[in-house]
Amino acid sequence: MTLVGVAVAKNIKNSHENFDEKIAFFKSKGAIVPDRKLIKTPEQIEKIRESAKVNIAVLDYVSEHIKAGISTAQIDEWVYDITTKMGAIPAPLNYEGFPKSVCTSINDQVCHGIPSEDIILQDGDIINVDASTILDGYFSDSSRMFCIGNVSEENRKLVEVAKKSLEVGLEQVKPWGYLGDMGQAIYDFVKSHGYNVVRNIGGHGIGLEFHEEPWVSYCSRKGTEMVMAPGLIFTIEPMINMGTHEVFIDSDDNWTVYTDDGAPSAQWEIQVLVTETGYEIISY
Ligand code: MF3
Ligand code: CO
């Protein structure tokens, strides 16, 4: 009877207390644990979901209209118009001096490409469109790849593997796992296809800011990096190169990242919440 009583008393401990105990336990093991401010409340999560609805709508529109012959400035215009009509702000615009509302990165561009009137989509191009939204002060971020017209079998496969790598990573997202479980799963999967993962650019926490802790690597090791406590929100956005993992930044615009060897690169990005039972995809 007493034993049962003890068990009941333990069970009715509020979840806040259990959470703090878990955090203390992982900390005592020397694990990296998230700061309390990185753990989103249900109210914050709801606001972030609302922001993501705009981000998803933007990318849905792009996916329905993108085609050969349009400029990347046209994509930028769509993103700006839809985002602002929905009462939100494109997060990239003026972010650390970024001049446009969205990133558009074609072929050997890895990320952070700047939309331009002079860049016209050609048959056979592969392009990443990376949208980020601020709604009512809450942030969302996701990106998709698009194949323009007749894309080579080789490049199509790169795009597919990059997409599949997110599913492989997601399988590892569970409460009280490690970000490195996800990172290694993605890394091993990508390597098994003969591709390479960009190392010095990664994902990030997001929600109350555009880029919060943790920095998220996709060449990390199982059982390392931050503990995935429920309420943590971060992006999964590995950049996958057909050739070398080495990249460089355009010295003229100081933004566009290219592969060192000129081989193509692909990236999809989702924004993920760690829940009590697994994960929720917030933006895609
Ligand atoms: N959306 C990018 C990310 O995934 C960030 C772009 S920053 C910008 O983190 F200024 F280039 F827009
Ligand atoms: Co991101």
Side-chain angles (χ1 to χ4, degrees):
M1 199 176 161
T2 17
L3 277 179
V4 171
V6 168
V8 168
K10 218 170 177 182
N11 282 341
I12 59 167
K13 260 192 186 172
N14 65 41
S15 63
H16 181 85
E17 223 171 308
N18 282 331
F19 182 95
D20 290 346
E21 272 175 16
K22 278 259 174 50
I23 290 284
F25 169 70
F26 279 97
K27 213 170 171 176
S28 75
K29 289 206 302 183
I32 304 167
V33 297
D35 226 70
R36 188 84 217 180
K37 67 175 190 293
L38 296 179
I39 303 306
K40 273 65 183 177
T41 65
E43 294 74 23
Q44 290 170 333
I45 291 166
E46 191 43 41
K47 295 288 225 173
I48 297 164
R49 281 196 197 102
E50 289 301 313
S51 171
K53 278 185 194 161
V54 178
N55 214 58
I56 293 163
V58 163
L59 287 174
D60 284 349
Y61 186 92
V62 171
S63 72
E64 280 157 27
H65 294 85
I66 195 166
K67 59 174 197 279
I70 66 156
S71 70
T72 51
Q74 174 70 72
I75 299 171
D76 183 66
E77 200 179 308
W78 293 336
V79 171
Y80 181 83
D81 287 349
I82 296 165
T83 307
T84 52
K85 277 201 185 96
M86 292 180 81
I89 301 165
L93 191 58
N94 303 319
Y95 175 78
E96 292 187 6
F98 192 80
K100 296 288 182 182
S101 297
V102 65
C103 298
T104 51
S105 309
I106 303 182
N107 300 330
D108 64 328
Q109 296 179 341
V110 175
C111 63
H112 302 168
I114 303 174
S116 161
E117 295 288 355
D118 302 330
I119 304 172
I120 310 294
L121 296 186
Q122 310 287 331
D123 188 66
D125 281 345
I126 58 169
I127 178 174
N128 171 276
V129 177
D130 189 343
S132 318
T133 299
I134 315 171
L135 180 68
D136 208 7
Y138 293 86
F139 290 76
S140 53
D141 185 8
S142 53
S143 79
R144 303 182 197 169
M145 291 297 294
F146 301 101
C147 290
I148 307 300
N150 294 301
V151 167
S152 70
E153 198 52 51
E154 236 201 335
N155 286 3
R156 244 175 226 287
K157 198 189 145 212
L158 178 71
V159 169
E160 275 314 303
V161 169
K163 186 172 191 183
K164 188 81 203 302
S165 77
L166 299 190
E167 290 167 33
V168 169
L170 269 179
E171 280 174 29
Q172 302 298 322
V173 179
K174 40 180 93 74
W176 310 108
Y178 293 87
L179 279 174
D181 305 348
M182 181 275 296
Q184 179 167 1
I186 289 179
Y187 184 84
D188 291 349
F189 175 75
V190 169
K191 288 298 258 189
S192 78
H193 285 277
Y195 302 139
N196 288 297
V197 181
V198 173
R199 300 183 183 181
N200 49 359
I201 316 171
H204 50 97
I206 174 166
L208 310 186
E209 309 276 353
F210 195 173
H211 296 111
E212 299 174 356
E213 275 191 75
W215 185 75
V216 182
S217 167
Y218 310 100
C219 59
S220 45
R221 309 313 288 165
K222 203 171 175 336
T224 71
E225 306 291 330
M226 189 177 280
V227 170
M228 293 187 279
L232 187 68
I233 298 182
F234 60 92
T235 66
I236 305 184
E237 51 173 321
M239 289 151 225
I240 313 299
N241 293 356
M242 194 178 284
T244 177
H245 71 268
E246 300 279 1
V247 300
F248 70 93
I249 299 176
D250 188 313
S251 56
D252 292 327
D253 68 21
N254 276 315
W255 277 105
T256 315
V257 178
Y258 289 87
T259 60
D260 243 5
D261 58 5
S265 183
Q267 177 190 29
W268 296 73
E269 175 181 15
I270 51 176
Q271 180 177 351
V272 176
L273 163 72
V274 183
T275 65
E276 296 287 347
T277 50
Y279 62 81
E280 175 186 328
I281 298 174
I282 299 275
S283 190
Y284 56 86

